[in-house]
Amino acid sequence: MKKNQFYEDSFSIPYVRILNSILAFLLKNKAKVKKIEFSERDKKKLKKTLSNGALIACNHPTDFDPPSLYCALRKLNLEFRIMTARDVMSRTPYIFRKLIQMGGCFSIDRTKLDRKSLSRSIEILSSKKNLIVFPEGRTHGQGGRLLEYQPGPIKIATLSSRKTKSSIKILPIAIYYSIIGDKDKIIQKRLEELEKILKIKADKGNDIDLRISQIVHLIIRKLEKQEGYQEPEKKYKKSTARWEWLASRIQKLCETSIKNIEIKLKIRLLEKDTLSSRVQKAREANDLIKNKKEKNANTKKILMLHSLSSLNFKNWKESHESIEEILAIFSKEIHRLMDKKHVIKTEKKCHFKLGKIIEVKNLKHSTPSSSKQHEKKLLNLLWKSTWQPLNELKQENSTIIK
């Protein structure tokens, strides 16, 4: 990857069709996303809203969200552009990268203000075309959660509105995945597979909470050993205390691991850097390393950090879907430790639901601080307008465990 490289987009219908076919195949056969659902009401609303251009903001729990949304919108014969992480595009094989560029994707550097990406976004919206963004800025693997939104989409809409002297529509879209099949059997099978790998003598009489916490504990223990330390064993009778202990160990593990990588890659930090932005900087720095062995070793740790740094155990037992997500996250980690490929086995259905449309108007503010306050309010409104349909999808399509 060349430093500061910007990947441009285009929209060539023949290539769009090829890309759509490839993505549909990968979703069904690799990601096991067997069905994509939009209600008829939302389909009509989509066509009407996107006929004059809009900024589409979608939550981003998994790597499958962009291809799922791409296929769903192409099925409705809609045109759009997609803002895509530069480091993701740089790691994509050359031919496929060119194909996704011709399918409407352009890059964004997530480690700093990317003026080229900002300029391209404003150009798209100003010409009444559709732009897809993922305001969470990263995946996190937990479909029922919604991370804090980054301010970029509101800034893009505000600047576009100022340029066109007209309002810009933001259309929030929620995405959620439900399990297909006998959910109890699927969870039990996943549990047994992990217990076998970790050589745990499974006691099916134990409750699911205890069995999963034992799996999580042993995987964290292996990751701690990899970083050169090990937390002393503790036993807790109460589930809440046990999970708080595991969460604190993950926090320490992530902090230790990122510090080791930053020293190794000589990464400069800013005061405002969060753990998430530090992981992103590590990923960008590692992409520039030429030594393949060193690069691969760093990649494994960075992927672990990406997976665990935003993990939240709150409400993880509320549905079969949330339990399966926790097991999937730790299944990836144990397969990485064993240098084995993690294969997705659970078949899922992808659900989309539209939120309330937000109009960003070309308003004149008396001071920069009042302008920032207004943008903050819009960002909060966008988050809430995505959370509501996401919560509805969760209630409608997951199996809530009481």
Side-chain angles (χ1 to χ4, degrees):
M1 176 179 72
K2 291 179 185 175
K3 207 170 182 180
N4 302 322
Q5 184 170 357
F6 176 68
Y7 297 102
E8 295 179 4
D9 64 285
S10 61
F11 203 87
S12 170
I13 292 298
Y15 289 106
V16 166
R17 285 174 182 157
I18 294 168
L19 178 60
N20 191 62
S21 298
I22 293 170
L23 292 177
F25 175 82
L26 292 174
L27 281 170
K28 280 189 177 180
N29 296 283
K30 297 289 181 184
K32 302 297 180 186
V33 177
K34 297 296 182 180
K35 196 174 180 182
I36 297 173
E37 281 191 352
F38 250 123
S39 71
E40 288 303 317
R41 183 185 170 189
D42 277 355
K43 284 178 187 176
K44 287 175 185 177
K45 189 178 175 182
L46 260 175
K47 286 183 177 180
K48 187 180 176 182
T49 307
L50 302 188
S51 60
N52 292 312
L55 179 63
I56 303 161
C58 185
N59 60 314
H60 199 6
T62 76
D63 294 329
F64 321 130
D65 315 325
S68 295
L69 186 55
Y70 193 100
C71 290
L73 295 184
R74 280 308 302 153
K75 204 170 181 180
L76 299 173
N77 207 29
L78 295 166
E79 283 194 23
F80 46 84
R81 303 292 190 274
I82 304 181
M83 185 185 281
T84 310
R86 183 174 69 114
D87 56 290
V88 172
M89 291 188 81
S90 70
R91 288 193 301 274
T92 303
Y94 178 81
I95 292 173
F96 192 63
R97 184 172 69 233
K98 284 294 177 186
L99 185 59
I100 64 172
Q101 283 179 257
M102 287 186 279
C105 296
F106 66 95
S107 66
I108 170 81
D109 185 345
R110 295 182 286 185
T111 63
K112 61 181 182 182
L113 174 62
D114 189 334
R115 295 187 184 278
K116 286 183 180 178
S117 183
L118 179 63
S119 176
R120 178 61 185 137
S121 301
I122 294 167
E123 184 187 344
I124 290 164
L125 290 177
S126 300
S127 56
K128 294 193 174 181
K129 290 177 183 173
N130 300 304
L131 171 63
I132 298 171
V133 295
F134 296 90
E136 285 176 287
R138 53 160 297 167
T139 59
H140 48 84
Q142 293 179 285
R145 288 178 65 208
L146 191 59
L147 301 185
E148 184 182 341
Y149 270 10
Q150 302 301 308
I154 299 299
K155 181 65 73 179
I156 290 165
T158 303
L159 292 172
S160 301
S161 176
R162 204 172 290 166
K163 184 179 177 180
T164 58
K165 293 182 172 59
S166 61
S167 62
I168 297 291
K169 288 180 180 178
I170 302 181
L171 179 62
I173 297 183
I175 185 170
Y176 185 76
Y177 300 90
S178 64
I179 298 171
I180 297 171
D182 187 324
K183 297 183 183 185
D184 281 318
K185 279 186 180 178
I186 289 164
I187 298 295
Q188 284 301 324
K189 194 175 178 183
R190 173 82 82 166
L191 264 172
E192 286 164 14
E193 282 173 0
L194 287 169
E195 285 168 338
K196 188 178 178 182
I197 291 169
L198 293 163
K199 296 175 182 176
I200 298 171
K201 288 183 179 179
D203 183 352
K204 292 180 185 179
N206 286 337
D207 68 356
I208 199 165
D209 184 300
L210 189 62
R211 288 174 71 188
I212 294 176
S213 65
Q214 196 175 6
I215 288 167
V216 172
H217 161 66
L218 288 175
I219 293 172
I220 293 171
R221 196 167 176 79
K222 287 177 184 291
L223 292 167
E224 287 170 342
K225 195 176 179 181
Q226 188 177 252
E227 293 301 327
Y229 77 97
Q230 208 134 58
E231 286 289 298
E233 288 273 0
K234 288 183 182 180
K235 288 187 178 180
Y236 295 94
K237 288 183 179 179
K238 288 186 177 180
S239 169
T240 308
R242 187 164 60 245
W243 284 102
E244 282 174 359
W245 174 59
L246 291 171
S248 67
R249 285 174 64 195
I250 288 173
Q251 193 176 2
K252 184 181 175 180
L253 172 68
C254 289
E255 195 56 46
T256 305
S257 185
I258 192 65
K259 278 181 182 175
N260 290 340
I261 291 169
E262 285 163 349
I263 292 165
K264 196 175 179 182
L265 299 178
K266 297 175 183 176
I267 297 168
R268 283 185 180 182
L269 294 180
L270 301 173
E271 275 186 35
K272 65 178 182 179
D273 279 333
T274 61
L275 180 55
S276 181
S277 64
R278 288 166 72 188
V279 173
Q280 188 53 42
K281 280 187 175 182
R283 180 173 266 177
E284 293 265 353
N286 192 51
D287 283 342
L288 298 171
I289 289 178
K290 291 179 181 178
N291 185 308
K292 199 173 179 181
K293 192 176 178 181
E294 186 185 345
K295 189 174 185 174
N296 288 341
N298 291 339
T299 299
K300 282 170 73 174
K301 289 190 177 186
I302 291 165
L303 287 172
M304 177 275 289
L305 280 163
H306 180 84
S307 183
L308 300 186
S309 60
S310 68
L311 187 61
N312 192 322
F313 291 126
K314 188 181 177 182
N315 300 328
W316 72 269
K317 292 183 287 183
E318 71 176 354
S319 69
H320 286 93
E321 279 73 13
S322 57
I323 292 170
E324 199 275 337
E325 285 163 356
I326 290 289
L327 290 172
I329 287 167
F330 283 96
S331 178
K332 282 180 188 176
E333 292 314 313
I334 194 62
H335 280 84
R336 261 197 283 273
L337 284 165
M338 294 164 64
D339 287 318
K340 288 185 178 180
K341 192 177 179 182
H342 176 257
V343 179
I344 297 166
K345 295 176 183 176
T346 307
E347 294 187 352
K348 293 190 176 182
K349 189 188 286 185
C350 173
H351 309 268
F352 286 107
K353 195 165 195 171
L354 304 187
K356 189 179 178 182
I357 294 169
I358 299 164
E359 283 205 35
V360 178
K361 296 177 181 178
N362 179 32
L363 299 174
K364 288 184 180 179
H365 295 276
S366 54
T367 62
S369 63
S370 65
S371 178
K372 280 186 180 179
Q373 280 295 109
H374 180 66
E375 287 178 13
K376 196 174 179 181
K377 281 181 183 178
L378 286 172
L379 188 65
N380 189 40
L381 180 60
L382 177 58
W383 189 92
K384 286 179 179 177
S385 299
T386 313
W387 172 249
Q388 187 180 342
L390 176 60
N391 202 36
E392 287 169 5
L393 284 176
K394 188 167 65 170
Q395 297 297 321
E396 291 162 5
N397 299 290
S398 64
T399 310
I400 304 297
I401 299 170
K402 294 179 181 178

